[in-house]
Amino acid sequence: MEIRKSFKFNGMHIVRNCSSERCKKSLHAHEYKVEVLFESDSLDNGMMVLDFGLMKGNIKDIIMSFNNSYSLWNKECNDFKDLIYSTQKRVVEMPVSPSAESYAIMFYYLIKKLLKCTEFNNGENVIKVSKVIVHETRTGYAQATSSDLSLVNYKLEDIK
């Protein structure tokens, strides 16, 4: 069985090295919709894969840490980093250029790590993240699954 929980955040970024001149050279913002899908072959004592209420804590906190933040690629030049840090109160420094694809993979990676550290106590069995979908616009999204974790070449501590 699969369940889906949606979250939203407003974020600003520049996507370096992309094809579009506008996106790779200009600060711009999006209202992102993030869908996290979980799956399990069994149900807990409440007949659920995972209580949606449990997602209001750490999973929501991870995604909301990007809300009203600037997503800064850690490979930006130091002058630009200094400018961002001097003008923005909320900055998430990332080891990848902040594209919808990067967000989807990173959220998948972070939520999978979080699930491994979670102690369940309501009869939950094996719960897996099946997909993370990040909608950057109403018409465009990126989707990450377990096979995309091979694209992760960073560690948890590389995300600040």
Side-chain angles (χ1 to χ4, degrees), residues 87-141:
T87 60
Q88 303 298 314
K89 296 276 186 208
R90 294 180 54 87
V91 178
V92 176
E93 192 167 324
M94 302 169 50
V96 290
S97 186
S99 64
E101 293 86 346
S102 294
Y103 286 129
I105 294 168
M106 187 171 47
F107 290 144
Y108 188 101
Y109 171 78
L110 292 170
I111 293 166
K112 182 176 178 177
K113 286 204 170 286
L114 180 64
L115 277 181
K116 281 186 179 180
C117 299
T118 302
E119 187 176 314
F120 295 105
N121 57 12
N122 194 32
E124 296 90 350
N125 204 347
V126 177
I127 300 169
K128 297 177 184 173
V129 184
S130 57
K131 294 178 195 144
V132 173
I133 303 167
V134 175
H135 299 261
E136 189 171 86
T137 65
R138 285 184 295 183
T139 59
Y141 69 87

Side-chain angles (χ1 to χ4, degrees), residues 3-86:
I3 62 170
R4 176 185 313 236
K5 179 71 174 166
S6 294
F7 304 90
K8 287 184 183 179
F9 74 93
N10 293 302
M12 186 169 46
H13 65 174
I14 295 176
V15 182
R16 300 292 187 195
N17 300 324
C18 69
S19 301
S20 166
E21 290 295 314
R22 206 170 42 181
C23 290
K24 72 181 175 185
K25 293 187 177 178
S26 299
L27 295 168
H28 59 284
H30 300 279
E31 180 181 68
Y32 292 92
K33 178 181 172 190
V34 179
E35 297 178 83
V36 182
L37 288 81
F38 297 92
E39 65 183 11
S40 180
D41 291 335
S42 64
L43 301 176
D44 68 7
N45 295 330
M47 298 306 293
M48 300 180 218
V49 168
L50 179 63
D51 189 332
F52 284 128
L54 296 176
M55 294 180 224
K56 292 179 184 175
N58 295 333
I59 294 171
K60 183 178 180 182
D61 291 344
I62 288 169
I63 294 167
M64 292 311 291
S65 66
F66 287 80
N67 192 41
N68 297 319
S69 294
Y70 181 81
S71 293
L72 176 67
W73 185 25
N74 68 2
K75 290 193 170 128
E76 291 282 2
C77 72
N78 287 333
D79 288 343
F80 186 74
K81 284 183 185 179
D82 292 343
L83 173 69
I84 292 298
Y85 279 113
S86 70

